Amino acid sequence: MQPNLFTAMRSLKLIEGCKATQVHALNNNPSSPSPPPPPSTGLREKLLQHLQDHLRVNSLRSKSSKTHHLNAAVSLDSLLPHGLPVSDLLEPQIDPSLKFVDLIEKLSEVYRRIENSSHSEKSEAFLQQCAVFRGLSDPKLFRRSLRSARQHAVDVHTKVVLASWLRYERREDELIGTTSMDCCGRNLECPKATLVSGYDPESVYDHCLCSGANERVGANECSTSEVDYDMSFCIGDEEVRCVRSKIASLSRPFKRMLYGGFREMRCNIINFTLNGISVEGMRAAEVFSRVGKVDIFPSNVVLELLKLANRFCCDELKAACDSYLSCLVKDLDDALLLVEYGLEEAAYLLVAACLQVFLRELPYSLQNPNVVKIFCSVEGRERLCLVGHGSFVLYLFLSQIAMEEDMKSNTTVMVLECLVECAVESWQKQLACHQLGAVMLERREYKDAERWFSSAVEAGHVYSLVGVARSKFKRGHRYSAYKIMNSLISDCSVTTGWMHQERSLYCSGKEKLLDIDIATDLDPTLTFPYKFRAVSLAEESQFGAAVAELNKVMGFKVSPDCLEMRAWISIAMEDYEGALKDIRALLTLEPNFLMFNKKVHGDHMVELLRPLVQQWNQADCWMQLYDRWSSVDDIGSLAVVHHMLANDPGKSLLRFRQSLLLLRLNCQKAAMRSLRLARNHSKSEHERLVYEGWILYDTGHREEALAKAEESISIQRSFEAYFLKAYALADSTLDPESSKYVIQLLEEALRCPSDGLRKGQALNNLGSVYVDCDKLDLAADCYMNALNIKHTRAHQGLARVYHLRNQRKAAYDEMTKLIEKARNNASAFEKRSEYCEREMAQSDLGMATLLDPLRTYPYRYRAAVLMDDHKETEAIEELSKAIAFKPDLQLLHLRAAFYDSMGESAEAIRDCEAALSLDPNHTDTIDLYNKAREPQP
């Protein structure tokens, strides 16, 4: 959901004609009252009038004119119809995920639960880990834990839900030409493998057998020529001849009826007319009693048999009917038809198969009222529970999708209410109640929001106090909200950034600014403090300082709301080119983003700003893209690609470039969307396979990605296919033979046609492999060739070569060149620190932390220096400062090692467990964990 950044906008005095000459004509005097905002019904007409005025003025401009400035009044009218945001009305969005005061302790606790769980409990333990990881910034952690939950699932229901969830994470519903029941080829997500009960974690990554045809019963198995019939069932005027012993073997009720002293025991003809089964159905039951199969009968007959099996407790017959009918469910129409039979007759597998279709059709199936009724109505949920398909994991999956689609919808509320009812464990209650509170807050139902947040707090979720405070504040109880947060900060031995951030909303003046600054010190990844300071500066007409404040956070964390705010401030300072760049980048992240307090679509702003900047044709765009790519200006590159796609939306190559840039900016959700669009717009089979391979690789399916690359190469040799294969193979520890093969693949890629941007990347990667193989001259050649085609990042590889040749000064100088050229250069400062003396290294690492506090090496270096100086406490504090906002594997491992060396085994064990929660296979941490757990002498 788009954060609700600007809940109220400063109204603007629109100055007539050409009286105003500065965009600063905004009424920024805090002492003068702002006029009330115009009614919403007039906003659209007003904006359209401004747009018409703007176009009329623009049409009078000479086409040959080189200036791109409009009259200031027209600019205000058309570009800032709602003014700028007010600092006192800004609010951070409440995270609907679980958040913890001590995340490391929670990671450690969940790791221990997983390790100590039995087979039947392991999947549930991994599901809790999923809920914890959902609140972290790395989606790969969540997906890995979700795969583990599926791997250890025992019952069919859990397998169906988790396999569907894994598929949804790739959003295969957006891939043209695929259907919901398509199989990825592995048991992990195979729609048929999920309908097989049992615990078999080792087989989930095996190739599935879903392509095999169902075996049919031969005619000889149904032959009646040699059957000794000894009784008949009479249905109406017809008789169905049977073998008494075979019918009796179907169930205990039949056995009692035919051999238990009842009247039927002495009858050769039994009247069965009133038992609700047709002649055809009874004949099918007789055949089943002899051959034990139902797949030779029409589906309507099998449904009759299912009803008969339920009435007379024929377990084997019911299981056979259930299994057969579950195989008939192919699409949503089948599922909606058959699910009623399944629920009525308590057919577990049939309902599971229907449920699987509903889930694999998400999010579209949630728009079907019949599906919503099955999931969310009181009767529907009760029926699902009775047949074993109403679970917490089901509604957790549904709630995620419902909240992503529309957080305020009634469907979202109904799904979350079901989630609350299914919650049993404390973490489940915390999550369900907190999410429902967040939704009620978005719906402005503040009393209900406070009630649900309070329930989450009672269940043990401290972060939900933020929701309680916000709900009270929204109802006018500002002091009560302040007391809640102030009490929380006072009671906690260690405070967090989000605590001070929330308290800042309920105080003013210096106290507010102090809380804002403390929040940034404790957690520099929180965007709200930067936005508040930027708007405060803009209110004082210090627009340059406001942009500089936003640049601090945008250097390491790109988000739509920060891009929007920077664009607005850029408009106010008449930097239309900068504003357009940010809005284009914003629309790449969120194509449907609404600006001006969700009043105006971003595309409209693009149209308004385009005439105010220099116009580019497609050739100009390519030149601009090369320049920005070479200067490591990822946001600028995104804007250029967005511009190019406006002229050629079906260009899959540009969509792919877009995805690469988004991955560099750590915008994985948007990157995957671009990859899917690249795949959908592919003009050839071999190109489509490459993009499908990247989708698989980026969602953790490395082997499947390699298979796609090989299939693409078999159709046509191409740069991207070879590059994908080399990249996927290199994503592991390479032995000499594997390294040689990767080198061959990259050399093949370079022989294929491609543009300089991609060839520069391939040369850079090839140089890296050569370095690992100790072929420094070849590596240097690769890096030099990459630099010749403006691949600026190759400076770093060349510096590494110089360093390995003991040319430290040359390495330092090479990194200095990268720092001078790169717009985003935090990593360059970090790398240059390796090639200079300690004092200069400390300076470079300090700059790296200032530019990007998420980089962990500087903290580890400083902590190691402190440990060398026997300042153990300061070393632990240096690591803890970073761990508080980024629970990183290397940071946790190093802190655990420090604790172990200090004899504090409990803290070392805790950090090891938290680190292993992030990476269960990290060998060094496993060794340290085992050492720390050894009995002390």
Side-chain angles (χ1 to χ4, degrees):
M1 294 292 296
Q2 173 188 340
N4 186 13
L5 295 177
F6 310 112
T7 54
M9 307 302 299
R10 176 165 294 166
S11 251
L12 183 64
K13 280 189 178 179
L14 299 173
I15 303 175
E16 296 177 355
C18 300
K19 293 179 183 177
T21 58
Q22 298 290 326
V23 87
H24 306 121
L26 285 169
N27 181 12
N28 284 322
N29 184 357
S31 62
S32 61
S34 299
S40 59
T41 55
L43 288 178
R44 187 176 293 104
E45 291 79 6
K46 196 171 186 178
L47 183 61
L48 287 172
Q49 183 61 49
H50 297 331
L51 189 54
Q52 290 167 359
D53 291 344
H54 162 72
L55 292 173
R56 183 173 64 253
V57 171
N58 189 52
S59 67
L60 299 175
R61 295 165 66 206
S62 171
K63 291 185 178 179
S64 61
S65 175
K66 299 297 182 182
T67 180
H68 301 287
H69 295 285
L70 289 180
N71 180 277
V74 176
S75 297
L76 287 177
D77 288 356
S78 58
L79 301 176
L80 292 172
H82 306 287
L84 290 169
V86 181
S87 59
D88 288 339
L89 298 176
L90 296 178
E91 292 179 3
Q93 188 179 36
I94 293 178
D95 192 338
S97 305
L98 293 176
K99 288 178 78 74
F100 305 94
V101 176
D102 190 346
L103 175 61
I104 304 309
E105 181 58 42
K106 178 56 65 173
L107 289 172
S108 171
E109 175 193 320
V110 174
Y111 177 79
R112 289 195 303 272
R113 179 185 176 184
I114 291 170
E115 290 299 298
N116 297 328
S117 294
S118 64
H119 293 333
S120 61
E121 299 169 335
K122 239 177 181 53
S123 183
E124 186 70 30
F126 275 115
L127 188 65
Q128 181 182 1
Q129 190 180 62
C130 286
V132 175
F133 284 157
R134 176 57 81 181
L136 304 185
S137 59
D138 187 357
K140 291 181 180 178
L141 291 173
F142 173 81
R143 285 196 291 263
R144 192 206 71 214
S145 191
L146 192 64
R147 283 196 297 272
S148 296
R150 164 63 187 93
Q151 179 180 5
H152 293 277
V154 178
D155 60 277
V156 167
H157 172 77
T158 305
K159 290 180 179 182
V160 162
V161 175
L162 294 175
S164 301
W165 200 338
L166 283 168
R167 182 182 183 275
Y168 177 80
E169 285 295 306
R170 290 199 305 279
R171 291 308 304 263
E172 289 199 2
D173 56 287
E174 295 182 2
L175 299 182
I176 295 173
T178 63
T179 67
S180 62
M181 299 305 286
D182 285 349
C183 179
C184 70
R186 305 275 177 176
N187 286 328
L188 186 72
E189 296 177 37
C190 173
K192 292 186 178 179
T194 56
L195 296 178
V196 179
S197 181
Y199 182 76
D200 190 6
E202 304 305 321
S203 71
V204 293
Y205 295 106
D206 293 344
H207 289 285
C208 62
L209 303 175
C210 64
S211 58
N214 291 330
E215 293 181 6
R216 302 285 293 180
V217 177
N220 60 319
E221 293 184 87
C222 303
S223 172
T224 61
S225 58
E226 299 178 0
V227 178
D228 296 325
Y229 296 113
D230 54 5
M231 63 163 291
S232 299
F233 285 101
C234 181
I235 300 173
D237 296 331
E238 297 191 50
E239 290 186 11
V240 178
R241 302 175 64 200
C242 302
V243 178
R244 184 181 293 266
S245 61
K246 296 292 185 181
I247 296 296
S249 68
L250 290 176
S251 69
R252 293 185 66 183
F254 270 124
K255 185 175 182 180
R256 294 275 298 186
M257 180 179 72
L258 298 176
Y259 289 109
F262 292 97
R263 182 179 61 185
E264 287 83 0
M265 183 182 76
R266 297 184 293 274
C267 297
N268 291 328
I269 299 176
I270 299 172
N271 191 339
F272 226 56
T273 303
L274 301 179
N275 282 286
I277 189 166
S278 67
V279 173
E280 189 178 18
M282 197 63 215
R283 287 193 176 120
E286 186 278 322
V287 172
F288 177 83
S289 72
R290 292 185 288 106
V291 303
K293 293 184 181 292
V294 298
D295 52 3
I296 55 174
F297 309 122
S299 55
N300 64 309
V301 173
V302 179
L303 286 169
E304 270 199 85
L305 288 176
L306 178 62
K307 189 174 293 187
L308 177 73
N310 262 337
R311 176 169 293 186
F312 288 93
C313 304
C314 306
D315 293 339
E316 287 187 19
L317 177 58
K318 180 176 180 178
C321 294
D322 196 6
S323 177
Y324 174 75
L325 291 170
S326 69
C327 296
L328 301 181
V329 186
K330 303 298 183 185
D331 54 34
L332 193 59
D333 291 335
D334 292 341
L336 286 170
L337 176 65
L338 290 170
V339 72
E340 289 300 323
Y341 289 101
L343 291 170
E344 185 69 28
E345 301 300 333
Y348 179 79
L349 281 181
L350 177 56
V351 175
C354 297
L355 184 66
Q356 180 163 244
V357 171
F358 297 152
L359 298 180
R360 291 171 77 98
E361 288 279 359
L362 288 168
Y364 310 112
S365 56
L366 268 186
Q367 299 167 14
N368 187 309
N370 294 320
V371 174
V372 173
K373 183 179 178 182
I374 291 167
F375 282 136
C376 300
S377 69
V378 175
E379 180 190 3
R381 200 178 77 79
E382 287 178 352
R383 295 172 78 193
L384 283 174
C385 290
L386 284 173
V387 77
H389 287 290
S391 69
F392 182 83
V393 65
L394 169 64
Y395 288 102
L396 183 61
F397 178 28
L398 291 174
S399 67
Q400 176 193 316
I401 294 169
M403 290 172 73
E404 286 178 358
E405 290 297 303
D406 184 357
M407 202 163 181
K408 299 179 183 179
S409 72
N410 291 333
T411 299
T412 301
V413 173
M414 290 189 291
V415 168
L416 284 169
E417 287 174 343
C418 292
L419 184 68
V420 171
E421 292 175 9
C422 291
V424 177
E425 299 182 38
S426 61
W427 73 268
Q428 295 175 346
K429 294 176 182 177
Q430 292 172 25
L431 180 57
C433 293
H434 180 73
Q435 286 187 337
L436 193 48
V439 166
M440 291 300 179
L441 191 69
E442 284 289 312
R443 288 163 61 98
R444 300 184 180 182
E445 298 177 23
Y446 300 127
K447 271 192 173 182
D448 286 336
E450 182 180 341
R451 176 167 61 89
W452 288 113
F453 281 130
S454 297
S455 297
V457 173
E458 290 172 10
H461 191 230
V462 176
Y463 176 67
S464 292
L465 281 171
V466 169
V468 176
R470 192 78 65 87
S471 302
K472 286 183 178 295
F473 174 66
K474 290 293 188 180
R475 295 170 59 205
H477 307 304
R478 184 190 188 105
Y479 184 60
S480 295
Y482 176 83
K483 285 200 301 183
I484 289 171
M485 295 312 301
N486 194 53
S487 176
L488 175 60
I489 291 171
S490 301
D491 293 343
C492 287
S493 57
V494 178
T495 59
T496 63
W498 53 261
M499 295 179 187
H500 289 276
Q501 173 179 271
E502 189 66 22
R503 190 174 69 174
S504 73
L505 300 179
Y506 316 128
C507 51
S508 57
K510 291 183 178 179
E511 187 180 358
K512 185 185 191 80
L513 293 175
L514 180 61
D515 264 339
I516 289 284
D517 291 341
I518 291 174
T520 298
D521 289 339
L522 292 174
D523 186 353
T525 67
L526 294 172
T527 59
F528 170 75
Y530 300 94
K531 291 185 286 186
F532 177 85
R533 288 188 289 262
V535 173
S536 298
L537 290 165
E539 288 172 341
E540 298 171 359
S541 297
Q542 299 181 42
F543 297 113
V547 169
E549 182 65 29
L550 289 171
N551 288 344
K552 293 177 184 177
V553 67
M554 299 283 280
F556 63 89
K557 186 176 182 179
V558 177
S559 61
D561 52 327
C562 287
L563 284 166
E564 177 193 32
M565 183 174 288
R566 192 168 72 176
W568 278 1
I569 295 172
S570 295
I571 291 172
M573 59 194 295
E574 299 186 27
D575 178 13
Y576 302 129
E577 188 172 317
L580 183 58
K581 177 188 73 173
D582 283 343
I583 294 173
R584 286 192 181 280
L586 183 160
L587 290 171
T588 303
L589 269 63
E590 295 283 351
N592 297 314
F593 195 91
L594 296 175
M595 302 181 69
F596 296 146
N597 199 24
K598 302 185 181 181
K599 300 292 184 184
V600 180
H601 198 288
D603 284 333
H604 290 302
M605 291 306 301
V606 171
E607 292 305 311
L608 285 171
L609 288 166
R610 277 180 59 199
L612 307 183
V613 302
Q614 185 175 353
Q615 303 300 300
W616 296 333
N617 59 31
Q618 205 74 343
D620 294 330
C621 287
W622 274 110
M623 292 299 296
Q624 292 292 331
L625 182 57
Y626 266 87
D627 288 343
R628 283 160 172 72
W629 196 289
S630 63
S631 63
V632 197
D633 177 8
D634 294 332
I635 292 177
S637 299
L638 273 183
V640 175
V641 172
H642 184 273
H643 186 175
M644 297 169 78
L645 283 168
N647 299 327
D648 190 0
K651 191 77 170 178
S652 59
L653 177 67
L654 290 175
R655 292 288 183 189
F656 181 55
R657 296 291 188 277
Q658 191 179 63
S659 73
L660 297 175
L661 289 164
L662 289 165
L663 284 174
R664 287 218 301 242
L665 291 168
N666 200 30
C667 301
Q668 297 198 26
K669 183 177 179 180
M672 293 303 295
R673 181 176 61 246
S674 294
L675 262 180
R676 290 191 293 271
L677 287 170
R679 182 264 183 200
N680 287 345
H681 288 105
S682 300
K683 298 294 192 298
S684 62
E685 177 74 5
H686 72 89
E687 186 183 10
R688 179 182 62 77
L689 288 166
V690 169
Y691 299 141
E692 287 178 356
W694 279 115
I695 291 171
L696 289 165
Y697 177 81
D698 287 335
T699 51
H701 299 270
R702 178 172 169 270
E703 296 299 325
E704 290 84 348
L706 283 170
K708 292 284 185 181
E710 289 166 358
E711 187 179 353
S712 177
I713 291 169
S714 70
I715 297 171
Q716 181 174 322
R717 295 170 67 257
S718 69
F719 174 90
E720 294 299 349
Y722 280 116
F723 189 87
L724 169 59
K725 188 173 181 180
Y727 196 93
L729 285 173
D731 185 22
S732 60
T733 304
L734 293 177
D735 55 46
E737 285 302 315
S738 299
S739 295
K740 287 180 182 178
Y741 187 43
V742 170
I743 289 171
Q744 291 174 10
L745 290 170
L746 288 171
E747 288 174 342
E748 285 293 332
L750 289 165
R751 293 188 189 100
C752 297
S754 187
D755 60 73
L757 299 178
R758 292 299 282 156
K759 290 214 169 185
Q761 182 65 63
L763 285 165
N764 198 59
N765 288 17
L766 183 56
S768 179
V769 181
Y770 276 137
V771 169
D772 293 339
C773 296
D774 202 27
K775 298 180 179 180
L776 300 184
D777 291 340
L778 291 172
D781 290 342
C782 287
Y783 292 130
M784 292 300 295
N785 289 332
L787 289 170
N788 289 337
I789 52 177
K790 286 191 165 185
H791 189 78
T792 308
R793 285 181 173 84
H795 282 296
Q796 183 169 318
L798 192 55
R800 184 182 175 198
V801 171
Y802 288 142
H803 175 66
L804 293 172
R805 289 172 172 170
N806 294 320
Q807 297 173 303
R808 202 173 185 192
K809 176 67 167 58
Y812 182 89
D813 293 341
E814 201 64 37
M815 291 308 302
T816 302
K817 293 177 185 176
L818 178 57
I819 288 171
E820 292 169 351
K821 292 180 181 179
R823 187 179 182 92
N824 299 319
N825 53 18
S827 63
F829 277 106
E830 178 184 300
K831 198 66 182 175
R832 191 175 71 171
S833 70
E834 298 179 21
Y835 310 134
C836 54
E837 300 303 322
R838 176 180 286 194
E839 187 174 335
M840 294 175 67
Q842 291 275 32
S843 175
D844 273 353
L845 291 173
M847 181 59 71
T849 298
L850 183 66
L851 294 172
D852 184 356
L854 292 174
R855 304 195 72 84
T856 62
Y857 174 75
Y859 301 99
R860 289 186 280 130
Y861 178 90
R862 289 189 289 263
V865 170
L866 289 167
M867 281 298 283
D868 286 345
D869 294 340
H870 303 289
K871 298 178 180 178
E872 290 89 352
T873 303
E874 291 88 340
I876 294 292
E877 287 175 354
E878 180 67 25
L879 294 174
S880 300
K881 181 168 61 178
I883 290 170
F885 59 85
K886 184 173 183 181
D888 174 77
L889 171 67
Q890 297 294 339
L891 291 173
L892 286 166
H893 173 77
L894 185 58
R895 192 172 73 170
F898 286 176
Y899 276 131
D900 185 62
S901 69
M902 296 161 62
E904 299 183 22
S905 58
E907 287 78 4
I909 289 171
R910 178 204 60 200
D911 281 356
C912 283
E913 288 170 343
L916 291 172
S917 185
L918 300 174
D919 183 358
N921 301 315
H922 193 250
T923 307
D924 291 342
T925 303
I926 293 172
D927 294 340
L928 180 59
Y929 185 44
N930 293 332
K931 177 176 176 290
R933 291 197 299 171
E934 291 176 357
Q936 298 296 318

